[in-house]
Amino acid sequence: MENLEKNFLLAKNQDRKAQKSLYEMFSAKMLAISNSYTNNLHDAEDILMGAFMKCFTKLDECRDWKSFPFWLRKIVVNDSISFVRKNRNILYADIEIADDYSDEDIDERLEALNIEEIFSQMPAGYRLIFNLYVFEEKKHQEIAEMLNISEGTSKSQLSKAKKWLTEFLKTEENEKRDTETVKV
C-alpha cells in the first residue's frame, strides 16, 4: 500500500500504468465483494470492470488517496446492488419473524466455514440484505431506501437470512458428525 498515494496521484492524471497498479492492488478484493452480491463470477467480473472504468473516469471526485479504497468499495457495492436489482427477480416477503437464533452462535460457526460456499447457496434476497447489514454496516432504514423496500422487509430478510444460516450450519454439523461416525 506504500505505492497507493503515488499511484493514486498519477492515476488522477490519466497515467495508465498507475491505473493498472491500482487495479492490481484492489481487483481481487473488489471481485470478492461483487461476487458476494451476485453469486456469479462472470457477472462479478463484469461489474468489477465497469466499477473500475467508473472509478478512473471519476477519480477527481475522490479527494484523498487514503479514502480511495473505501470510495472504490462503495462504487463496487452500489454497482453490484444495481446489477442484482436489474437482473434478478428477488422476492421479499413483507413479514416480521421473531429472531430465535443468537448472533454469537452464528458468528462462532462462520469462522470455521467457507463464507463463499455459504453465500453461493444462500437465496439472493437474504444474501443482499445480509451483506449490506453485516459487511457494509448499513442500517435497515438505509437498506430500505437503497433497495426500494420497506424497513420491515429489510428486517424480515435479515431475520430469515440468520435463520437460513443457522439451518445451514446445523446441516453442515450433522453431515460432519455422520461422516465421522462412519469412519469409526
Side-chain angles (χ1 to χ4, degrees):
M1 288 292 185
E2 68 185 51
N3 292 328
L4 177 57
E5 181 179 12
K6 176 183 153 193
N7 286 321
F8 175 78
L9 294 173
L10 289 171
K12 271 192 158 190
N13 292 320
Q14 302 302 314
D15 182 294
R16 298 291 182 223
K17 287 183 181 178
Q19 290 175 343
K20 182 180 179 195
S21 293
L22 288 175
Y23 177 84
E24 289 171 351
M25 274 188 231
F26 294 101
S27 61
K29 183 173 185 176
M30 296 302 137
L31 180 63
I33 290 167
S34 183
N35 193 41
S36 74
Y37 285 91
T38 63
N39 194 30
N40 181 309
L41 190 56
H42 297 294
D43 291 339
E45 289 170 341
D46 289 345
I47 292 166
L48 179 72
M49 295 309 294
F52 269 101
M53 291 300 294
K54 187 182 294 183
C55 162
F56 293 141
T57 57
K58 296 182 176 191
L59 201 51
D60 286 334
E61 293 177 17
C62 183
R63 295 186 184 110
D64 185 19
W65 66 272
K66 293 177 186 172
S67 63
F68 176 76
F70 307 104
W71 182 76
L72 176 60
R73 180 187 178 103
K74 186 175 181 179
I75 292 172
V76 170
V77 168
N78 288 339
D79 286 359
S80 298
I81 291 168
S82 293
F83 176 85
V84 169
R85 288 181 71 198
K86 288 177 189 172
N87 296 297
R88 300 264 200 294
N89 292 326
I90 301 173
L91 299 176
Y92 298 102
D94 235 345
I95 304 168
E96 285 292 327
I97 297 179
D99 190 4
D100 298 330
Y101 303 93
S102 74
D103 290 339
E104 294 82 26
D105 185 39
I106 291 173
D107 290 342
E108 286 175 18
R109 293 179 182 183
L110 280 178
E111 290 177 14
L113 291 173
N114 180 345
I115 300 240
E116 286 182 23
E117 176 189 341
I118 294 171
F119 282 145
S120 72
Q121 297 179 42
M122 182 182 275
Y126 298 174
R127 184 175 59 247
L128 188 58
I129 302 295
F130 188 85
N131 278 346
L132 288 169
Y133 188 83
V134 174
F135 298 119
E136 302 302 324
E137 299 177 350
K138 301 286 184 193
K139 301 204 179 313
H140 288 293
Q141 182 179 355
E142 294 173 288
I143 295 169
E145 289 172 11
M146 289 174 79
L147 300 177
N148 198 25
I149 59 175
S150 72
E151 197 171 328
T153 298
S154 177
K155 290 176 182 178
S156 171
Q157 293 297 299
L158 179 63
S159 178
K160 289 177 181 182
K162 288 179 180 180
K163 184 176 181 179
W164 184 92
L165 269 174
T166 302
E167 293 301 317
F168 179 88
L169 295 172
K170 284 179 183 175
T171 302
E172 289 288 310
E173 192 174 294
N174 288 340
E175 287 175 5
K176 184 179 176 184
R177 225 181 284 130
D178 290 347
T179 307
E180 290 173 358
T181 304
V182 171
K183 289 181 183 176
V184 176

